[in-house]
Amino acid sequence: MNKRMKCLFGCSLLIAALAGCGKTEEMQNTKEQEENLQESQQRQQEEMQAEQQDQESQGGQQAQEPSESQQPEEMQPDGEVQGNADFSLRVWGPVLSVEEGTVVIDNRSDLSFRGEMILSIEEEGTRILDAENGYPVELSELSEEEAVFAYIGSTAALSEPPMVSASLILCKIPDDLRIPDYVHVVAMEEQPDGSYLLTGDNEIQYLVPQECETLPYLTRNVVTLQDVQEGRECLIWSDEKRTAQKIVLFAD
């Protein structure tokens, strides 16, 4: 009996020991898994922080170096849009009002500012001409609702309505709407047949035949096609094929 009880007691201790070993091993495995999980989470967090820092650094560089489309338009100190003062645009529309030194028109062209526009008239610098013959017209002769064509500079004062400087105004528009072009001559090249190929600053080329009528502006001087040279200013009446029919040449 004693032997049997001792045997049972010994078996119980062995089972308990084995159970304890299994539990210890299981706890160790669980602890290792938890440590591995913590290390993995820590690595992921460090990688995310490093990636975020890189993005912030790149974003800062982009903010310091805007693209060309984001850069602001250059402005002149006097509040005018910067441009080439030698370049001119032709606008047109009915006259809204005429005052001393200004003409207000409703610009109907797609060039410059569409709508109400103030044309600044300089006593010595602005020509007002009859579009049919090129003769001078007084400012007081312009009437409201009359259609005019005006050549203006490429700069405009940022006012409301915008104000632009007019170098030439064509009025008394003929019924057939044959409007002359105000041109600065870029090149005048003689052709084999004696005609000329005139290139203007408006990027248009005109074929000028030998018989083209050439007239001076407000003088009795005799002018010929040889006087139409690079740098000269003139009015050119032409047909639909850009063949010149009459030229009025302004003095140097």
Side-chain angles (χ1 to χ4, degrees), residues 1-245:
M1 184 71 178
N2 290 335
K3 288 182 180 181
R4 192 178 206 179
M5 291 185 65
K6 288 180 180 180
C7 182
L8 290 173
F9 183 71
C11 290
S12 299
L13 291 176
L14 180 59
I15 292 172
L18 292 173
C21 291
K23 186 175 182 181
T24 301
E25 184 177 358
E26 184 179 354
M27 291 177 62
Q28 288 177 349
N29 292 337
T30 303
K31 186 176 181 180
E32 289 178 358
Q33 291 175 356
E34 290 178 354
E35 289 176 352
N36 292 336
L37 181 60
Q38 290 177 356
E39 290 178 359
S40 177
Q41 290 177 345
Q42 186 175 359
R43 283 196 301 269
Q44 290 178 358
Q45 187 174 4
E46 290 175 352
E47 290 175 356
M48 291 176 63
Q49 289 177 351
E51 183 177 357
Q52 185 176 3
Q53 289 176 356
D54 290 341
Q55 291 176 352
E56 291 176 354
S57 176
Q58 293 176 359
Q61 291 177 356
Q62 292 176 353
Q64 294 173 3
E65 301 175 1
S67 63
E68 293 182 1
S69 61
Q70 295 172 330
Q71 292 176 358
E73 182 180 22
E74 285 190 32
M75 305 292 292
Q76 293 180 348
D78 59 357
E80 295 183 353
V81 179
Q82 197 170 42
N84 182 0
D86 295 332
F87 182 76
S88 60
L89 305 171
R90 187 166 83 170
V91 298
W92 67 276
V95 174
L96 299 179
S97 65
V98 179
E99 299 179 6
E100 184 177 357
T102 62
V103 176
V104 181
I105 68 169
D106 179 12
N107 179 28
R108 302 289 177 83
S109 75
D110 291 327
L111 300 177
S112 190
F113 299 91
R114 192 176 179 88
E116 190 172 347
M117 175 185 289
I118 302 175
L119 305 179
S120 176
I121 309 300
E122 298 180 9
E123 186 174 352
E124 299 296 331
T126 304
R127 296 186 180 100
I128 304 177
L129 305 179
D130 187 313
E132 189 165 9
N133 51 40
Y135 294 164
V137 176
E138 294 294 330
L139 176 62
S140 58
E141 296 182 48
L142 298 182
S143 59
E144 293 185 10
E145 301 302 326
E146 176 185 2
V148 297
F149 285 73
Y151 285 82
I152 63 174
S154 58
T155 60
L158 297 179
S159 59
E160 185 60 40
M163 176 178 286
V164 296
S165 178
S167 57
L168 185 144
I169 295 177
L170 296 169
C171 59
K172 303 185 183 302
I173 308 301
D175 293 336
D176 60 5
L177 294 178
R178 290 181 59 192
I179 312 299
D181 293 327
Y182 175 48
V183 172
H184 289 72
V185 179
V186 174
M188 185 70 166
E189 301 171 340
E190 187 173 3
Q191 305 300 299
D193 61 356
S195 64
Y196 288 85
L197 186 64
L198 188 155
T199 304
D201 63 337
N202 55 1
E203 299 183 350
I204 295 176
Q205 289 187 322
Y206 303 86
L207 178 62
V208 185
Q210 289 180 316
E211 64 274 14
C212 178
E213 184 180 12
T214 307
L215 303 171
Y217 177 72
L218 296 183
T219 70
R220 295 181 181 273
N221 298 334
V222 176
V223 294
T224 65
L225 291 180
Q226 285 74 23
D227 295 308
V228 184
Q229 301 176 358
E230 179 182 351
R232 299 294 297 270
E233 300 176 28
C234 59
L235 282 178
I236 302 177
W237 284 260
S238 63
D239 60 18
E240 63 278 0
K241 295 182 179 180
R242 295 299 183 184
T243 299
Q245 298 173 331

